Amino acid sequence: MYRCLLDSSLRHSLFLFDKGGEGVLKKVLKRILISIPVLVGVVLLIFIMLRVVPGDPVTTMMGEHVNPAVIEKISREMGLDKPLYEQFFQYVAHALRGDFGTSYRLNRNVTKIILEAFPNTVKLSLLAAVVAWIIGIVAGIIAAVRQNRLLDRLFMGGALIGVSMPVFMTALVLQYLFAFKFKWFPVSGFDSFRSMILPAIVLGWNSAGSIARMTRSNLVEIMQNDFIRTARAKGLLESAVIVKHALKNAMLPVVTMMALQISSMLSGAVLTESVFGVPGIGRLAVNAIETRDMPLLQGTVIFTTILIIAGNLVADLLYNVLDPRIREGA
């Protein structure tokens, strides 16, 4: 009898797992299908914007005093003399194969240029994420525990500054103080761990403020629940109540935000990389804008769009894994 009950329970568990797995798979496929029109729209929008902006990329690349016949010849070789719709469909056909064209300025394959710069952006973003998570979670917990006291007001004021202050302003202020004035870190560069610290703090500062505010608000709300009062009534230490009971339930939306922030850091490191001279994707995009290098700019925008879509998908899956209620609903 015991064996029959065990087999029945096992079959029921496998059925629920399969049912939840099918729900997750359907959700993933649905998000991918929804993302396809978004990606196509981004490609079309950036393609049209770069063609509408005044100026000729060939003239920008070659200089103003070049023979018009040479400009016409180069434009014909690059396919810029073809109708816009033909250029667009040709670009999409090549992009589907992973070929984003050839950089006008560097005369190299755009995909290879992006893949060479991408590891630097990943290093910067991951280090910035670690900085944001440590500062944000610790500050949020302390602010919630010391609610409406000096530390709470101090940390939440710092979080508000982090959320409100533009990234380039934070970069310039920290660069002036810690690199130029105190000389603790290099002013620019990305060739050592010491040179990575200041850009990582700048990039993670805004995210740290958001994490701190969300951690505090969730933790304060959770601390009012009945199961927290029950845990305290059992004689548990306040630290055990916070870590084992309150924090575990309060961190679910925070973890989802943290997953989303990684993709936003990967795609939004433009200003940080430009100020500190980090040879990443953001700096490539800025250089492409300055020189009207359309293939390189299109490639960086499409690549970062794919990163954002992938980050949103991972965040949804992570939320689904961490919250059993969503799995049951699926």
Side-chain angles (χ1 to χ4, degrees), residues 257-271:
M257 173 188 279
M258 288 158 62
L260 287 171
Q261 284 179 342
I262 292 180
S263 62
S264 66
M265 287 177 182
L266 286 169
S267 59
V270 176
L271 295 175

Side-chain angles (χ1 to χ4, degrees), residues 4 91 106 112 231 246 292 313:
C4 292
Y91 180 80
L106 303 174
K112 291 182 179 179
R292 279 186 59 83
L313 182 60

Side-chain angles (χ1 to χ4, degrees), residues 276-297:
F276 289 96
V278 179
I281 294 179
R283 192 178 179 190
L284 280 180
V286 173
N287 292 337
I289 293 172
E290 292 175 350
T291 58
R292 279 186 59 83
D293 193 341
M294 294 188 294
L296 184 57
L297 182 57

